[in-house]
Amino acid sequence: MARRRRIYEGKAKVLFEGPEPGTLVQYFKDDATAFNNKKQGTITGKGVINNRISEFLMTRISEIGIPTHFIRRLNMREQLVREVEIIPVEVVIRNVAAGSITKRFGMEEGTALPRSIVEYYYKSDDLNDPMISEEHITAFGWASPQEMDEIMHMSLRVNDFLCGVFLAVGIRLIDFKLEFGRWWNNEDLRLVLADEISPDNCRLWDVETNEIMDKDRFRRDMGGVEEAYQEVARRLGILLDSNSPGDMTGPSSLQ
Ligand code: UDP
């Protein structure tokens, strides 16, 4: 496929102009960053795996009636998505205490939360993604109260659904981050799930051993990052050759 005009480059992905108006091509890189870019590295094959995991999860989510920007996967590292206006809010849904919430409230990592908690952060690298409330979002006009109701409702549905999807393959969904966008479908304006859902923006622990299977392995220099991502893909039934983990060294083992 011929190279397209680059629209935007983020930490883990590049967005190119799509083949038709209103579409974009989302390219998944192997680059990894943490702590607002202070830590940078490469996880070999990550882009290929995240492309597949995100395709799988977005497809399952759209099957339960939640609209997403995902159209179809194009190749190993690229997917065709709808062009949307991204709402500059990161929505974090937590089931178990980990990461920033443990520091904020002095909680032990792994403590089950009394119920799922939804938090909002303003998407701004310059400001280090500050935590915000719905008041800030509506007062500053980043989203309307109606949109926030829909975002909250969709986020909790996605959480319930993904908890089940992961639990079925022996993984606990500890927390994750979602982004939403506005999609104009002719005259119709719809809120859709955007960005990606992958071990880059979820915390995933093995149900039996509590082994970490997500980007915390990179953040904490634990090693075995690619292997953990591959294991998530394998359990979800995404990898082609699920019987030979020794062969799963890179893109060639993926459909
Ligand atoms: N997260 C993300 N992007 C961000 C911040 C957080 O994808 O910019 C995800 C992160 O991977 C985790 C969840 O959101 O699954 C909650 O992250 P937390 O607030 O605990 O921050 P962290 O400890 O990851 O800095």
Side-chain angles (χ1 to χ4, degrees), residues 53-119:
I53 293 178
S54 197
E55 170 197 22
F56 176 84
L57 296 174
M58 288 288 188
T59 305
R60 297 289 87 77
I61 286 167
S62 68
E63 284 166 359
I64 62 158
I66 295 172
T68 81
H69 75 156
F70 180 81
I71 301 173
R72 66 174 183 277
R73 187 169 59 84
L74 297 171
N75 55 49
M76 303 279 271
R77 287 186 183 269
E78 294 179 329
Q79 48 183 243
L80 186 66
V81 299
R82 299 193 166 93
E83 185 173 19
V84 300
E85 182 188 24
I86 290 285
I87 292 174
V89 173
E90 300 198 338
V91 181
V92 169
I93 302 98
R94 301 181 185 275
N95 301 302
V96 175
S100 65
I101 197 172
T102 61
K103 297 186 194 94
R104 195 174 313 121
F105 299 112
M107 296 174 84
E108 197 179 330
E109 187 153 87
T111 312
L113 296 169
R115 61 175 168 81
S116 303
I117 293 176
V118 180
E119 296 173 347

Side-chain angles (χ1 to χ4, degrees), residues 33 44 83 94 106 108 112 126 137 179-180 184 201 204 230 233 251:
T33 65
T44 313
E83 185 173 19
R94 301 181 185 275
E108 197 179 330
D126 291 346
I137 298 170
E179 293 188 24
F180 292 86
W184 272 269
N201 40 46
L204 305 167
Q230 282 167 352

Side-chain angles (χ1 to χ4, degrees), residues 165-234:
V165 168
F166 281 116
L167 202 56
V169 297
I171 295 174
R172 281 166 88 195
L173 179 58
I174 304 301
D175 59 30
F176 62 108
K177 186 262 297 182
L178 294 177
E179 293 188 24
F180 292 86
R182 297 185 187 96
W183 175 50
W184 272 269
N185 184 17
N186 299 317
E187 296 298 288
D188 234 31
L189 176 61
R190 284 188 92 169
L191 263 188
V192 303
L193 197 55
D195 194 47
E196 68 174 286
I197 307 178
S198 74
D200 267 8
N201 40 46
C202 300
R203 284 197 170 92
L204 305 167
W205 296 359
D206 181 87
V207 168
E208 300 292 332
T209 64
N210 281 338
E211 170 136 336
I212 293 172
M213 305 172 75
D214 57 63
K215 203 167 102 175
D216 272 349
R217 298 198 76 89
F218 168 76
R219 293 187 187 99
R220 300 176 188 179
D221 291 321
M222 296 170 77
V225 191
E226 308 154 48
E227 291 79 3
Y229 281 45
Q230 282 167 352
E231 176 62 10
V232 172
R234 190 191 67 76

Side-chain angles (χ1 to χ4, degrees), residues 155-173:
S155 299
L156 290 173
R157 272 195 78 200
V158 169
N159 181 48
D160 284 348
F161 180 69
L162 288 186
C163 278
V165 168
F166 281 116
L167 202 56
V169 297
I171 295 174
R172 281 166 88 195
L173 179 58

